[in-house]
Amino acid sequence: MSENIHAGHRERMIKKFLSSNDLPEHEILEIILFSVIPRKDTNGLSHKILNVFGSLANVFNAKKEDLMTIDGVGEKVASHLILIGKLSDVVAKKKDSDLKEDKSWISFDKHKQELFDFFKNFNDEHLLIILLDKKRNRIAKFDIQADGNDKVETEISTIAKSLAIYHPRYVITCHNHPSGIIEPSQIDDINTKKVYMLCELHGATLIDNIIISGNAGYSYFVKKRMEYVRNQSDLSKLLIMADKQEILNE
């Protein structure tokens, strides 16, 4: 019977926590202790711990042996509290890092060193996709490596999935040329056109395709090659041309 009482109380506490951002620290600590003390009331213990250490911050930064001086806090509970504290620190540092990081895409020149560093350890060809929102802030960045005859199909399929999941406004593709030749090939142009049309179908715009080789880079946008790709890949123009051809064939 007592287990049912505790179960109902815990469920109410968790609902309260999820619906409120302003719980007192002893209730937050009480909830934290649920997972490590499964069948006992943790309210009294949370009060005891806070009476000794004064705040949750102090609890999370306490040493294991100091926590274990409190009646009811064994090694398992102490280790759990220390783990929660360390996880909180990791999350806080990550958030701080994300706030400081400049995620906006301004130009190839501004980001070229980042791209050189990314590709420098690859001896085989990789494709990097950068997805941006309408303010050109990065939504996601991921690396695609595909080998064999289905390489292009794999890359196109992966890009299509990412467009459907993230709904970016702008897209940048970047790949390396391990051969050392920085100029785009005919295959590069064909694949760039494919990606451009794929982006159009998903309401996004491919704004650049970048080739990296060592510490050299080729930007389709900077070299105005994107204008050629855009003219060759405009879906509305292609449909008009197809309609005209169909009429001529009738």
Side-chain angles (χ1 to χ4, degrees), residues 114-149:
E114 175 189 344
L115 297 175
F116 295 157
D117 291 342
F118 177 83
F119 285 105
K120 68 181 179 183
N121 296 319
F122 295 135
N123 295 319
D124 50 353
E125 190 169 308
H126 283 245
L127 175 65
L128 182 67
I129 308 297
I130 302 170
L131 307 180
L132 310 172
D133 64 16
K134 63 182 181 180
K135 294 183 179 180
R136 298 204 179 191
N137 292 318
R138 192 173 71 231
I139 302 170
K141 178 177 74 172
F142 51 93
D143 169 32
I144 303 172
Q145 182 184 19
D147 299 312
N149 296 328

Side-chain angles (χ1 to χ4, degrees), residues 63-158:
K63 295 179 180 178
K64 184 191 288 187
E65 54 269 27
D66 292 335
L67 287 165
M68 290 174 63
T69 61
I70 299 171
D71 184 33
V73 177
E75 185 169 353
K76 187 177 180 181
V77 171
S79 297
H80 184 69
L81 292 173
I82 291 168
L83 174 63
I84 295 295
K86 289 187 180 297
L87 288 172
S88 299
D89 287 343
V90 169
V91 172
K93 287 176 182 176
K94 181 66 172 66
K95 283 184 177 179
D96 187 54
S97 174
D98 287 346
L99 287 172
K100 289 178 181 177
E101 183 184 359
D102 183 3
K103 292 187 174 183
S104 60
W105 183 273
I106 305 300
S107 66
F108 165 63
D109 189 60
K110 180 181 176 182
H111 295 273
K112 64 183 179 182
Q113 190 57 54
E114 175 189 344
L115 297 175
F116 295 157
D117 291 342
F118 177 83
F119 285 105
K120 68 181 179 183
N121 296 319
F122 295 135
N123 295 319
D124 50 353
E125 190 169 308
H126 283 245
L127 175 65
L128 182 67
I129 308 297
I130 302 170
L131 307 180
L132 310 172
D133 64 16
K134 63 182 181 180
K135 294 183 179 180
R136 298 204 179 191
N137 292 318
R138 192 173 71 231
I139 302 170
K141 178 177 74 172
F142 51 93
D143 169 32
I144 303 172
Q145 182 184 19
D147 299 312
N149 296 328
D150 62 345
K151 177 179 179 295
V152 174
E153 287 75 11
T154 301
E155 292 174 346
I156 292 294
S157 174
T158 305

Side-chain angles (χ1 to χ4, degrees), residues 1-9 38-39:
M1 184 70 177
S2 61
E3 286 187 20
N4 290 335
I5 292 171
H6 288 313
H9 171 70
R39 292 183 179 86

Side-chain angles (χ1 to χ4, degrees), residues 105 127-132 136 156 159 163 168-174 188-210 220-221 225-227 229-231 233:
W105 183 273
L127 175 65
L128 182 67
I129 308 297
I130 302 170
L131 307 180
L132 310 172
R136 298 204 179 191
I156 292 294
I159 294 170
L163 292 171
R169 181 64 188 86
Y170 302 108
V171 177
I172 296 167
T173 56
C174 183
D188 288 326
D189 282 345
I190 291 170
N191 291 338
T192 304
K193 292 173 191 175
K194 288 181 180 179
V195 175
Y196 186 93
M197 287 189 281
L198 180 64
C199 289
E200 268 206 305
L201 288 170
H202 285 268
T205 301
L206 180 68
I207 57 173
D208 203 355
N209 178 44
I210 297 166
Y220 272 59
F221 177 80
R225 203 181 189 93
M226 281 307 300
E227 294 178 14
V229 170
R230 190 179 301 111
N231 289 331
S233 313

Side-chain angles (χ1 to χ4, degrees), residues 8-25:
H9 171 70
R10 291 184 174 201
E11 187 177 332
R12 288 191 296 274
M13 288 295 295
I14 290 170
K15 285 182 179 178
K16 183 179 178 182
F17 176 73
L18 293 174
S19 62
S20 173
N21 294 321
D22 195 28
L23 259 63
E25 289 198 342

